[in-house]
Amino acid sequence: NMVELTAEDYSNDHHDNDTGGSGAGASQSKRASSGLPIPRSYDVVGDVAILNSLPEGDEETQRKVGEWIMSRNKAMKICVARSNALSTSHRSPGTSGMVQIAGPPRNPIITSHYEYGVKCVVDLQHTFFSPRMAPERLRLSQSVARGERVLVVFAGVGMEALQIAARTEAKEVLAIERNEVAAECLRRARRMLERNKTATCPGGGKGAVERLSIMEGDALDILPTLEKSYFDRIVAPRPKEGNLDGDQGTGDAGKEFLVAMLPLLKLKGEVHWYDFAADHELPNCDRTRETVQSVCQSLGLDMEVIHVAKVGSIAKRQFRVCMDFRIIGRVE
């Protein structure tokens, strides 16, 4: 049962209850006067308020907390809380990892979410989606030039790919996603995109659909089958691989994906590479730079860093960062 919302239905996708009473936020005094364990902040995806953890107290208290939050914004129809960490390989909470505490029962917990006039479909139990990345997705789509071929790896429910297809003059957008639920969400959003009246790309929503392709499967299986030196831009919002990533990570920091991706890029092509860094690594993110440079060297590629910035917080003193870099030459 799809829920349709417009961007005007809520003022922000992340509400901090200590920032004062605008939109769904509420001051500390208002939270205290409710007599309920109201969380300091929560996210909104579509018509769902998402708490980062279950409120203290029994089910009745939790229901009242959910109803209090929903009462602050008419667009919110249900309230859910995460009951475990995002530990699955798809960075999703799983069926048991999200508990509905208020609103009419909804199972599965699916909603549709608008961002800058473009809608995606989100299964909150089986996919990962962060509304806080909206400004970053806007930045990405604004960097796409006319006629570019764009590859989006780790596409998830596809908001990056949908934004680029609907709001730029890209010639072609290919999205790759291995989570079958997320890929199905993206296919549903692609069908809805055809009717989108606000798409600013050539041909409107219909044109956007024609330029957007979806491949479901593991990127490491799919990437070697694609044409070399074909894409002008690669967007890689890589999911965090648990303890394998970050400054204490024991994994390869995504090197195998870079090795598979970079041969597909044209000379002068650009990559938006997402990694995970601790606060002490900011702002230079030398470890991320070294990872990318070592892969480029192994492939005989010369690169330059265009931009590095933190784009989101993932845990205490841990951040998602994006490094934009360009391939400027091939070393013979």
Side-chain angles (χ1 to χ4, degrees):
N1 188 20
M2 294 309 301
V3 180
E4 304 237 349
L5 292 176
T6 64
E8 288 70 41
D9 281 328
Y10 46 83
S11 56
N12 202 342
D13 299 325
H14 172 66
H15 299 283
D16 191 322
N17 278 330
D18 277 349
T19 55
S22 65
S27 64
Q28 199 167 352
S29 60
K30 284 183 181 173
R31 284 192 293 133
S33 67
S34 74
L36 294 166
I38 307 295
R40 286 181 57 177
S41 65
Y42 53 91
D43 284 326
V44 176
V45 175
D47 66 342
V48 184
I50 305 170
L51 314 188
N52 209 33
S53 59
L54 275 166
E56 293 171 11
D58 57 18
E59 279 187 26
E60 180 64 13
T61 303
Q62 291 170 356
R63 182 180 63 78
K64 286 179 176 173
V65 168
E67 288 175 348
W68 188 92
I69 288 169
M70 286 158 52
S71 73
R72 312 203 59 78
N73 188 325
K74 66 179 178 11
M76 288 185 262
K77 299 294 186 281
I78 69 171
C79 183
V80 302
R82 292 192 183 99
S83 57
N84 66 17
L86 302 179
S87 54
T88 68
S89 61
H90 300 310
R91 296 281 296 147
S92 63
T95 307
S96 61
M98 189 162 276
V99 179
Q100 183 174 343
I101 62 172
R106 187 183 298 180
N107 186 27
I109 303 172
I110 298 178
T111 189
S112 57
H113 182 85
Y114 268 105
E115 199 172 276
Y116 307 115
V118 176
K119 188 194 301 182
C120 70
V121 177
V122 186
D123 180 325
L124 289 164
Q125 291 157 304
H126 302 109
T127 67
F128 173 77
F129 175 77
S130 173
R132 303 187 201 190
M133 293 287 284
E136 174 64 7
R137 285 187 280 266
L138 179 64
R139 183 185 77 87
L140 288 178
S141 56
Q142 287 174 337
S143 67
V144 176
R146 179 183 299 169
E148 284 191 356
R149 292 187 175 116
V150 183
L151 171 64
V152 183
V153 194
F154 321 109
V157 299
M159 188 55 108
E160 287 88 356
L162 292 160
Q163 290 280 347
I164 292 167
R167 304 183 70 248
T168 77
E169 294 186 54
K171 183 176 186 178
E172 185 180 330
V173 183
L174 172 60
I176 298 176
E177 174 54 42
R178 74 173 184 181
N179 174 350
E180 61 184 3
V181 179
E184 179 56 27
C185 286
L186 176 47
R187 285 190 288 266
R188 288 177 71 175
R190 184 177 176 269
R191 290 196 291 272
M192 292 190 291
L193 184 57
E194 191 161 1
R195 302 188 297 275
N196 189 314
K197 301 285 193 290
T198 62
T200 54
C201 62
K206 200 167 189 305
V209 168
E210 287 167 1
R211 286 187 294 277
L212 174 58
S213 306
I214 302 160
M215 294 182 78
E216 181 183 332
D218 192 311
L220 293 176
D221 296 331
I222 292 172
L223 293 170
T225 70
L226 301 178
E227 190 178 332
K228 304 286 184 283
S229 302
Y230 184 80
F231 293 98
D232 300 280
R233 185 174 305 274
I234 298 177
V235 179
R238 191 169 67 90
K240 189 171 191 293
E241 297 281 354
N243 294 330
L244 298 175
D245 269 318
D247 61 324
Q248 305 292 320
T250 55
D252 74 346
K255 279 186 181 178
E256 62 180 344
F257 293 110
L258 283 165
V259 168
M261 277 171 13
L262 292 178
L264 308 179
L265 199 64
K266 291 179 185 174
L267 198 58
K268 309 291 186 195
E270 294 182 12
V271 179
H272 305 275
W273 176 248
Y274 289 79
D275 198 9
F276 304 91
D279 55 354
H280 66 84
E281 297 182 282
L282 302 173
N284 280 348
C285 302
D286 289 334
R287 182 174 51 82
T288 301
R289 289 172 187 256
E290 285 162 15
T291 297
V292 172
Q293 277 169 338
S294 70
V295 172
C296 286
Q297 279 174 349
S298 73
L299 295 172
L301 299 172
D302 230 349
M303 58 81 81
E304 65 178 3
V305 176
I306 304 165
H307 169 88
V308 187
K310 67 177 183 184
V311 294
S313 172
I314 53 167
K316 190 176 182 183
R317 304 174 74 179
Q318 296 288 322
F319 300 92
R320 178 181 278 112
V321 296
C322 182
M323 187 173 110
D324 300 344
F325 67 94
R326 182 184 293 121
I327 299 302
I328 53 174
R330 291 194 169 87
V331 183
E332 296 305 324

